[in-house]
Amino acid sequence: MHTLESFLQTIEDADHREKLASLFNWIQDTFPQLETTIKWNQPMFTHHGTFIFGLSKAKAHFSCTPEAEGMKPFVRRIDKAGYAQTDNLFRIKWTQEIDYDLLQDMIQFNIDDKAKCQTFWRN
């Protein structure tokens, strides 16, 4: 699996596949400076070689991974959106709406916060 398209083909449910395809398109349109890669069988968006945002899929939801530091400023907004969360990720059920404003702010935060980061993950 080397492309977003190959990742999407691993999602059996057509509605789930379309939801993530729309999200991928939105990220690419909103943040054209991000590079897309597949690592550990998961799509990730990077900037100048550093991790910005990732996604993974499960049967009942998909997970968003902005790193723990990338989540901290948004914990209340994640709760308000109704998404379950841990320290490192939050889960959006396939039946839930995507809060694009939250994602935009979170991704922009990581781009800004990691502007001078020289490593893939935060140290």
Side-chain angles (χ1 to χ4, degrees):
M1 182 171 9
H2 294 82
T3 66
L4 287 178
E5 187 58 38
S6 63
F7 172 80
L8 289 170
Q9 293 309 312
T10 68
I11 302 172
E12 292 180 25
D13 186 292
D15 291 335
H16 298 175
R17 190 170 46 251
E18 178 57 35
K19 189 169 195 159
L20 275 189
S22 294
L23 177 55
F24 293 153
N25 289 335
W26 176 84
I27 292 171
Q28 291 171 326
D29 290 345
T30 307
F31 299 99
Q33 72 272 35
L34 296 181
E35 298 102 31
T36 306
T37 187
I38 304 289
K39 292 183 183 285
W40 303 285
N41 294 321
Q42 300 175 40
M44 297 183 176
F45 299 90
T46 63
H47 191 254
H48 68 276
T50 191
F51 175 86
I52 300 298
F53 194 78
L55 296 157
S56 63
K57 64 180 174 65
K59 184 175 183 174
H61 65 270
F62 61 94
S63 296
C64 301
T65 56
E67 284 188 285
E69 289 299 316
M71 282 187 58
K72 286 180 182 178
F74 304 98
V75 168
R76 287 192 178 112
R77 287 178 64 187
I78 294 167
D79 277 338
K80 186 176 178 182
Y83 305 146
Q85 62 182 303
T86 68
D87 289 341
N88 294 315
L89 61 84
F90 61 99
R91 297 175 189 94
I92 301 175
K93 293 179 184 175
W94 293 112
T95 57
Q96 291 178 300
E97 294 296 319
I98 297 172
D99 184 338
Y100 285 99
D101 291 335
L102 171 63
L103 294 184
Q104 183 167 355
D105 292 347
M106 190 175 284
I107 292 168
Q108 189 62 57
F109 173 84
N110 270 349
I111 291 169
D112 296 342
D113 190 58
K114 295 182 79 177
K116 295 181 182 177
C117 186
Q118 300 295 314
T119 57
F120 190 73
W121 305 111
R122 284 179 173 90
N123 292 327

